């Protein structure tokens, strides 16, 4: 089988697949149109997020047997077209679940204990104690939406912090020793902290909007390591200003480029969009990281290994 690698990944992918007899070609620079012209030569594609695999692309990939996404999210692929064409879809959410879970806890502890703020103040000669009094996790109710690989790993990490973990998921019977499954209404009633671990699709785009926030009984902390467009930025900014959202830890932003390589600061952003983004970047109520929750040295290798194992299992 001939495989096209469209993004740079851990070298074990190339090393192990070559050893199994696959033919590999790397192309990390060609544009969408350039790849489109040659895609019918390949049996498989291994991607991250650089090029969108839309309907037009897939219909031109006449010999394609599989798409392997090194990571969890599949929103860059037209899943319906791929399934209709009989193209196997492979991803590796198992590879970075531990990294995401640790990132969630790290951001939350930094946020609730004002660690960045206090550190910067001391470095600038300002010594404030009462103003930097922290808020403990102990005794709080931690609400998770989406109890797949990332949600479960996060609940497991929280087991030593003395929090009650509850979760909502569209699938039934997922409860385990680390978290209790509840309705969305109960989660909104009880949660002190909300953490998102969901894919991006039609049902989850702007899930957390003005209406959702209005149904949260308590003022709450928000953590988003899923996708930027799971959250309506303007709604969060308004809630931060009103105090309904106490603070937010955001590894993803609505205004990211689809490749996740940077923020989209193009002229397509409205004046309100730009104002909201500036608020998030400047507010001491918000921690923002550049889509790196699953981005550790260890996860890079694990993501690649899961992809190789799944391709070999299915096609060797």
């Amino acid at each position: 089988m001939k495989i096209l690698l469209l993004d740079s990944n851990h070298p074990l992918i190339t090393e192990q697949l070559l050893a199994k007899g696959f033919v590999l070609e790397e192309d990390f620079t060609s544009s969408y149109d350039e790849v489109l012209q040659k895609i019918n030569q390949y049996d498989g594609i291994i991607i991250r997020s650089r090029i969108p695999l839309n309907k037009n692309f897939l219909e031109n990939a006449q010999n394609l047997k599989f798409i392997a996404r090194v990571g969890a999210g599949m929103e860059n692929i037209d899943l319906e077209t791929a399934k209709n064409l009989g193209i196997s879809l492979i991803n590796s959410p198992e590879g970075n679940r531990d990294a995401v879970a640790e990132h969630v806890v790290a951001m939350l502890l930094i946020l609730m204990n004002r660690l960045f703020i206090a550190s910067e103040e001391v470095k600038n000669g300002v010594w404030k104690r009462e103003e930097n009094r922290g808020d403990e996790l102990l005794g709080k109710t931690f609400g998770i939406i989406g109890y797949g690989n990332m949600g479960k790993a996060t609940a497991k990490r929280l087991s030593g912090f003395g929090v009650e973990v509850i979760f909502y998921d569209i699938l039934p019977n997922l409860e385990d020793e680390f978290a209790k499954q509840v309705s969305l209404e109960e989660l909104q009633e009880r949660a002190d902290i909300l953490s998102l671990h969901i894919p991006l699709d039609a049902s989850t785009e702007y899930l957390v909007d003005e209406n959702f926030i209005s149904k949260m009984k308590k003022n709450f902390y928000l953590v988003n390591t899923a996708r930027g467009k799971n959250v309506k930025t303007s709604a969060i900014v308004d809630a931060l200003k009103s105090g309904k959202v106490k603070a937010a830890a955001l590894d993803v932003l609505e205004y990211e480029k689809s490749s996740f390589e940077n923020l989209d600061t193009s002229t397509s952003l409205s004046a309100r969009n730009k104002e909201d983004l500036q608020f998030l970047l400047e507010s001491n109520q918000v921690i923002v990281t550049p889509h790196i929750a699953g981005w550790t040295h260890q996860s890079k290798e694990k993501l690649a290994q899961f992809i190789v194992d799944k391709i070999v299992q299915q096609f060797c």
Side-chain angles (χ1 to χ4, degrees):
M1 296 182 73
K2 190 174 182 182
I3 302 174
L4 177 64
L5 288 75
L6 287 175
D7 296 275
S8 176
N9 284 294
H10 196 285
L12 74 80
I13 292 179
T14 300
E15 295 165 4
Q16 294 186 20
L17 289 180
L18 284 174
K20 290 291 184 179
F22 292 91
V23 177
L24 304 182
E25 180 181 324
E26 296 178 348
D27 186 346
F28 305 152
T29 58
S30 290
S31 67
Y32 172 94
D33 289 332
E34 290 169 334
V35 176
L36 189 65
Q37 292 175 10
K38 63 178 182 178
I39 194 56
N40 62 1
Q41 303 173 27
Y42 302 95
D43 302 291
I45 305 176
I46 299 176
I47 63 164
R48 285 208 317 264
S49 305
R50 187 172 68 87
I51 290 180
L53 306 190
N54 56 19
K55 183 176 182 180
N56 178 57
F57 185 99
L58 297 176
E59 288 179 343
N60 279 275
Q62 298 171 3
N63 296 307
L64 201 61
K65 297 177 179 61
F66 74 86
I67 299 166
R69 159 76 160 99
V70 183
M74 304 287 273
E75 70 274 9
N76 218 31
I77 304 166
D78 186 328
L79 302 179
E80 183 177 356
T81 298
K83 290 175 183 177
N84 289 340
L85 294 172
I87 300 170
S88 179
L89 298 170
I90 301 168
N91 65 344
S92 55
E94 309 92 339
N96 61 354
R97 59 190 172 194
D98 297 316
V100 169
E102 291 188 14
H103 197 90
V104 168
V105 175
M107 285 201 300
L108 198 54
L109 292 173
I110 288 168
L111 192 67
M112 294 175 68
N113 291 284
R114 298 174 59 86
L115 298 183
F116 277 159
I117 298 168
S119 177
E120 286 303 308
E121 287 176 349
V122 173
K123 288 179 179 180
N124 286 286
V126 178
W127 189 272
K128 294 180 178 180
R129 299 185 67 218
E130 185 58 37
E131 294 86 346
N132 287 311
R133 192 179 287 274
D135 192 12
E136 296 180 14
L137 275 171
L138 180 68
K140 289 186 170 55
T141 300
F142 192 103
I144 293 173
I145 298 183
Y147 206 62
N149 282 282
M150 313 304 175
K152 290 178 181 177
T154 299
K156 185 176 181 179
R157 291 304 183 285
L158 290 165
S159 61
F161 283 90
V163 300
E164 180 184 7
V165 184
I166 58 176
F167 71 91
Y168 167 74
D169 196 286
I170 59 173
L171 298 177
N173 304 317
L174 298 178
E175 187 168 320
D176 60 22
E177 62 186 298
F178 301 111
K180 177 184 178 183
Q181 188 160 10
V182 298
S183 66
L184 182 58
E185 291 73 21
E186 182 175 347
L187 185 144
Q188 290 174 310
E189 176 81 12
R190 299 178 56 202
D192 299 291
I193 301 158
L194 177 66
S195 186
L196 303 181
H197 299 279
I198 49 180
L200 179 62
D201 57 31
S203 67
T204 63
E205 186 171 4
Y206 301 130
L207 174 69
V208 179
D209 61 6
E210 295 90 347
N211 182 54
F212 183 102
I213 292 169
S214 71
K215 294 178 180 178
M216 294 290 289
K217 181 178 180 181
K218 302 177 182 178
N219 295 345
F220 67 100
Y221 294 96
L222 173 69
V223 185
N224 188 12
T225 55
R227 289 292 183 263
K229 288 187 178 179
N230 293 139
V231 171
K232 187 176 178 183
T233 304
S234 59
I236 292 303
V237 168
D238 288 344
L240 284 163
K241 290 177 178 178
S242 73
K244 184 66 179 181
V245 172
K246 291 182 175 181
L250 307 173
D251 181 55
V252 290
L253 292 170
E254 179 182 350
Y255 309 127
E256 285 180 72
K257 292 182 178 179
S258 60
S259 64
F260 310 139
E261 291 174 343
N262 212 324
L263 289 174
D264 184 356
T265 55
S266 68
T267 55
S268 63
L269 292 183
S270 69
R272 174 65 198 263
N273 293 156
K274 292 177 181 177
E275 182 182 329
D276 289 338
L277 178 59
Q278 199 62 30
F279 177 87
L280 293 179
L281 298 180
E282 294 178 354
S283 174
N284 64 11
Q285 297 170 274
V286 182
I287 290 177
V288 182
T289 51
H291 204 131
I292 57 169
W295 209 250
T296 63
H297 297 292
Q298 293 80 10
S299 71
K300 183 176 183 179
E301 181 173 353
K302 288 188 283 187
L303 285 165
Q305 191 63 65
F306 275 107
I307 283 294
V308 169
D309 292 345
K310 290 178 181 181
I311 291 172
V312 169
Q313 182 179 25
Q314 191 166 344
F315 294 101
C316 279

